[in-house]
Amino acid sequence: MNCWKACGQDLATQETKGPNGGDRQLKEKDLAEYALDYVTSNGATYADVRLVQIRHEMIEYKNGSPVGILKDLNGGMGIRVIVDGAWGFAANPDFTKDKVERAAKRAVENARAGALIARDPIVMAPIPVVNEKWETRVETDPFRVSLEEKLALLSMCDQTMRKVKGLSFAEGFLDFTEELKFFYSSEGSRIDQKIVHSGGGIQATAIGEDETQVRSYPQSFGGDYVSGGYEHILGMNLPDSAQKIAEEAVGLLVAPQCPEETTTLILGEGQLALQVHESCGHPVELDRALGWEANFAGTSFMTPDRLGKLQYGSGIVNIVSDPTHPGGLGSYGFDDEGTPAKRDEIVRDGLFVGYLMSRETAAGLGRSSNAAMRAEGWSYAPIVRMTNVNLLPQKGTLDDLISETKKGLLMTTNRSWSIDDRRLNFQFGCEIAWEIRNGKIAGFYKNPTYTGITPVFWNKCGRIAGPESWRVWGVPNCGKGQPMQTMRVGHGVSYARFDDVQVGVGYAH
Ligand SMILES: [Zn+2]
């Protein structure tokens, strides 16, 4: 067992051997200070130590019974150093002085090895030294809600979905994490954070003779996630949507195929969030744009020579990085190198003006970090990640957007995605496309897809709905890096309308 509480120990205390051989109490926080002292007296010109403990509960429910209940607690320490101008990192799950010292030594050795092949010494943009605490705002602690209550909620959804004739599978998901993070830097920052995430959703699957159709609520791939407590789960009113999505899944089996044509497309909810994620969020990660990170469709067409010049979208397209937004899945007080969260412009009036940046990448551009340096858990070094990358609202409602559309489609729930290495050519598939005819919803199509080229697509954005329907959607499974790290990020969106979009292309059964 490698976690604090699972070992029967309090978070703050750990018994270990003292330097004189006698037993003494040494707190984990003292061990973090010890690691900092060790690396700085062994050549580190900069160091940070992160203590992280993650509690995770996940429940999956399928066709009348729970099929998976996971409860996990893990923790450890990540030590990052600069020695001889190069990065080194080592992680350690054991809170004994010996093990911590061994990890600290390894971090220094890794940096020394890296320095032999490093091109230029690391330079980091300055940040303020802080001593602060930050916590997610939570009304109802999800870990204090009983398993019975959670199962009863999923069971209610399950029963409602399975009453619909023709449905093959009913599924429900709930997922909660609590992350305690303590950050210590050789510059003097000391930061305590407690970040709580709650997510969940339901999914209905209908299987026909040669096809499978799925409807999800409120979005696909496990539901919608926020920073917050159990109040988010109750607020989604999952049982109220169970019958509707089950009927739609069955209805899709006999629905017409999405036509292949160029038309007006309205996107919203989880699909617009994913559109922002793939075609704006990833390409503005500055490590990709600089060519430092190329895994997972890794490079970017949004290179620094295009900063301030590229007309990324139409004049109503404004995109910001905002980890300060309350409740977003990418919300926090400080990133994983201690930079205070801040809102920063990425696209202003359609013009590409900013990146997601770490201290090091920001220094390369002569800018300041915008707190986008994040690590999964304690065992990975942080890399540049999304925060909440938000498409700002304009005005009007979804009904306005629909009523102004003579002919077009509305898509809101993702089913598949594909985008090239430079984040230029993309294709998305959705669960359902609502047909719009003469300003009204007239029916629905199955297997809808749409395709485009990022700046062409965003320059055809003619309308964005207002703040009434704007909210931050959670993407809990963003993969990046090698070894891969999974990160939780958010995207604030309302609804947006795009002209001349190619739809219905490339669907394969
Ligand atoms: Zn991603």
Side-chain angles (χ1 to χ4, degrees), residues 279-290 300-315 317-320 344-357 365 367 370 389 422 454-455 458-459:
S279 69
C280 184
H282 277 305
V284 299
E285 292 164 347
L286 186 49
D287 55 345
R288 287 176 192 261
L290 292 170
S300 172
F301 75 99
M302 297 172 79
T303 43
D305 55 308
R306 292 180 158 184
L307 190 63
K309 294 178 193 146
L310 174 73
Q311 192 65 34
Y312 175 87
S314 66
V317 175
N318 288 282
I319 298 174
V320 298
D344 207 8
E345 290 181 311
I346 303 291
V347 174
R348 184 200 309 133
D349 300 333
L351 190 70
F352 164 43
V353 294
Y355 281 110
L356 295 162
M357 296 178 288
L365 280 191
R367 294 189 169 194
N370 49 15
V389 176
R422 297 176 63 219
T454 299
W458 281 104
N459 274 285

Side-chain angles (χ1 to χ4, degrees), residues 81-82 84-87 118 120-124 360:
V81 300
I82 296 177
D84 296 341
W87 286 117
D120 299 307
I122 304 293
V123 177
M124 295 203 293
E360 182 189 1

